[in-house]
Amino acid sequence: MRLLLASLLTFVLLQAENLDDVLEGFDDGTEELMEGFEEENSSSHTSSKPQNSGLTGSIAQEVAISPFNEQPHHALSSLKSSLFLDYEHKFDNGFKFKTNAKAYYDAIYRLRGVENYTKEERDELQNEVELFDAYVEGSINSNLDMKIGRQVVVWGRSDTIRVTDVLNPIDNRRPGMVDIEDLRLPVAMAKFDYFVDNWRITPIAVLEQRLSKNPPFGSAFNPSPIKVNDPEAQSKVTPALSIGGEFSGWDINFYTAQLNQTKESDVNMFGTALNILQGSWLLKSELAYFDAALKETNGLLGVEYNGIADTLISYDIALKKVDTQKESYQHAFRVSSDFINATLKANYLISLFGSKLDEGGFQRAWVTYDIADGINTNVGLVDYIGGSSRFDSVENNDLLFMNAEYNF
């Protein structure tokens, strides 16, 4: 499996062998990266088809195979059918209402016998109906925007490692399968953006406290023999504030938020993010401090290179330090490349922990292909790498997956 991953990575990199394309690529993507400096505030579940008003959506079928896992999660491990619906309406005054929801059913539990799985796993993973985005947004005047309702607010620029990105919980029930942008869970917030010259001041009231979704007891990624009760989310309104400035070739953001998702004591977060664009290079950094009982500081340095035509290469390294003593490192290397007029995209990601890259992690290779207008497929594999107790317990959970989707 790791040989297959290495082969795919080699294939992607060899596409840069045409020197003319390489030289042309030094100017490609600069405008796209500059646009990326703006804080991302859109949900990962938003439809890509712009509509003035109306209903869009998609139907998808996913198949996952875990060839090395133990019963009942061996061989065919998932047969998930899902429906996603998105409704958007734009009012004459420029305001917009948007809502979307997703429902899925995994037939594998019936096919292989529900008695082979724990109740906790069936309750969490067999079927689900969930409301994602549900908000109203618009401009109050030329300097003030508002957005109220369930939404995603992204802090920071890393696509793989979360440092300052703390406002939205994530769905981590099948770790390593998809990127963070597809894992964030919307939260009800009241957000206002006030613009002054090159600066944006964004006060936020978090109206809903949601917890991240972790692997349920008895599932493939929760090998613990002892059931642990999940904490309960607390009903409380908490404040957050972002102040950001965008300038020629660089941007900077300052963040602060009060985090109180459980009945434990409040945690205050203070952070900053700085991004610098130099030609085909994007340099990024994030720093966050949490004043919990154990003082925690997280930092990230990253670089993205867009100088090869239709290809993006990035590397991030993050350090987490608890109470100035315990340290942990995470590395993430990513390559993405487009082919056949951007209808096919090959991707490779490896994320490893430890200062010497020896404490486990995962690598994922996947290819997305637009078969026809509105029809696409996604095929790939995930290889979990041992090296610590955290990853040794899931080292045999390697997955082959395929997803076919029809958008309407």
Side-chain angles (χ1 to χ4, degrees):
M1 184 172 290
R2 293 176 186 172
L3 179 59
L4 289 173
L5 288 167
S7 299
L8 178 58
L9 176 59
T10 302
F11 172 73
V12 172
L13 294 178
L14 284 177
Q15 301 308 310
E17 64 182 3
N18 188 307
L19 182 58
D20 291 336
D21 289 343
V22 173
L23 293 176
E24 292 176 3
F26 275 93
D27 295 326
D28 292 346
T30 301
E31 183 177 349
E32 179 182 348
L33 287 175
M34 286 298 295
E35 292 175 354
F37 281 151
E38 299 181 2
E39 184 180 32
E40 302 92 336
N41 290 318
S42 61
S43 168
S44 60
H45 302 281
T46 301
S47 170
S48 60
K49 297 181 179 180
Q51 298 272 339
N52 290 329
S53 180
L55 181 69
T56 60
S58 63
I59 300 172
Q61 179 64 54
E62 177 189 289
V63 177
I65 299 173
S66 186
F68 311 120
N69 213 336
E70 299 178 355
Q71 294 187 2
H73 303 108
H74 69 294
L76 183 63
S77 60
S78 179
L79 192 60
K80 182 187 292 185
S81 304
S82 61
L83 170 66
F84 174 73
L85 294 176
D86 181 282
Y87 176 76
E88 179 179 303
H89 180 77
K90 293 182 179 179
F91 299 93
D92 293 338
N93 61 1
F95 275 69
K96 179 178 74 174
F97 169 73
K98 184 178 182 66
T99 185
N100 48 50
K102 185 175 183 178
Y104 74 77
Y105 176 76
D106 197 334
I108 195 65
Y109 294 95
R110 286 290 181 185
L111 289 176
R112 305 191 69 170
V114 294
E115 67 278 2
N116 295 316
Y117 302 88
T118 64
K119 180 180 182 301
E120 291 76 14
E121 179 176 359
R122 297 197 312 270
D123 289 345
E124 284 284 322
L125 301 179
Q126 185 171 0
N127 57 74
E128 186 174 72
V129 178
E130 181 167 6
L131 176 70
F132 287 111
D133 293 331
Y135 60 80
V136 175
E137 69 173 343
S139 297
I140 298 175
N141 57 46
S142 60
N143 297 102
L144 182 63
D145 295 343
M146 58 153 282
K147 188 175 183 180
I148 299 178
R150 263 200 172 182
Q151 57 188 284
V152 168
V153 176
V154 181
W155 286 357
R157 282 275 295 166
S158 176
D159 296 325
T160 309
I161 304 175
R162 303 182 88 197
V163 174
T164 58
D165 184 25
V166 297
L167 292 187
N168 292 88
I170 61 173
D171 186 347
N172 201 36
R173 292 176 292 183
R174 300 173 71 185
M177 282 286 290
V178 295
D179 291 333
I180 290 177
E181 65 177 347
D182 297 315
L183 297 177
R184 295 186 183 96
L185 300 173
V187 170
M189 306 182 200
K191 181 173 75 73
F192 298 88
D193 292 301
Y194 182 68
F195 301 91
V196 182
D197 295 327
N198 294 325
W199 292 89
R200 182 193 63 256
I201 303 172
T202 306
I204 300 171
V206 181
L207 310 175
E208 177 187 21
Q209 305 297 328
R210 299 185 68 187
L211 302 179
S212 291
K213 297 182 179 182
N214 293 314
F217 172 70
S219 64
F221 292 96
N222 186 348
S224 173
I226 302 174
K227 178 184 175 182
V228 178
N229 292 328
D230 295 328
E232 295 181 2
Q234 184 177 3
S235 298
K236 185 176 181 179
V237 177
T238 56
L241 176 67
S242 168
I243 300 176
E246 299 177 11
F247 308 93
S248 178
W250 65 285
D251 74 272
I252 189 168
N253 287 275
F254 302 95
Y255 310 115
T256 183
Q258 183 184 92
L259 309 177
N260 192 321
Q261 297 179 327
T262 68
K263 295 182 179 181
E264 304 297 328
S265 60
D266 292 347
V267 176
N268 295 307
M269 173 269 193
F270 306 91
T272 184
L274 173 66
N275 305 291
I276 301 174
L277 181 68
Q278 291 289 338
S280 299
W281 295 89
L282 173 64
L283 308 176
K284 51 191 175 181
S285 64
E286 298 180 36
L287 182 67
Y289 172 74
F290 302 85
D291 67 352
L294 289 176
K295 309 299 183 182
E296 181 178 317
T297 303
N298 297 341
L300 176 142
L301 293 175
V303 60
E304 293 182 7
Y305 178 65
N306 202 45
I308 302 174
D310 302 318
T311 298
L312 178 66
I313 302 172
S314 69
Y315 170 72
D316 295 344
I317 180 172
L319 169 63
K320 176 180 178 180
K321 181 176 287 190
V322 179
D323 200 19
T324 70
Q325 295 179 358
K326 184 179 179 181
E327 295 182 350
S328 61
Y329 291 83
Q330 183 179 357
H331 309 256
F333 174 76
R334 178 189 299 266
V335 179
S336 299
S337 192
D338 293 331
F339 307 95
I340 317 177
N341 297 322
T343 59
L344 185 147
K345 186 172 185 177
N347 311 269
Y348 174 76
L349 166 67
I350 182 167
S351 178
L352 294 172
F353 290 80
S355 59
K356 299 180 180 179
L357 309 172
D358 58 354
E359 296 180 12
F362 71 92
Q363 55 183 336
R364 181 172 83 245
W366 70 106
V367 175
T368 60
Y369 179 59
D370 295 334
I371 299 175
D373 186 23
I375 302 176
N376 59 74
T377 186
N378 181 27
V379 180
L381 52 90
V382 185
D383 174 29
Y384 298 95
I385 303 168
S388 64
S389 57
R390 174 184 178 184
F391 289 99
D392 288 346
S393 59
V394 298
E395 187 177 9
N396 293 325
N397 287 11
D398 300 343
L399 289 168
L400 304 171
F401 61 88
M402 190 276 285
N403 179 285
E405 183 177 78
Y406 169 68
N407 298 277
F408 56 88

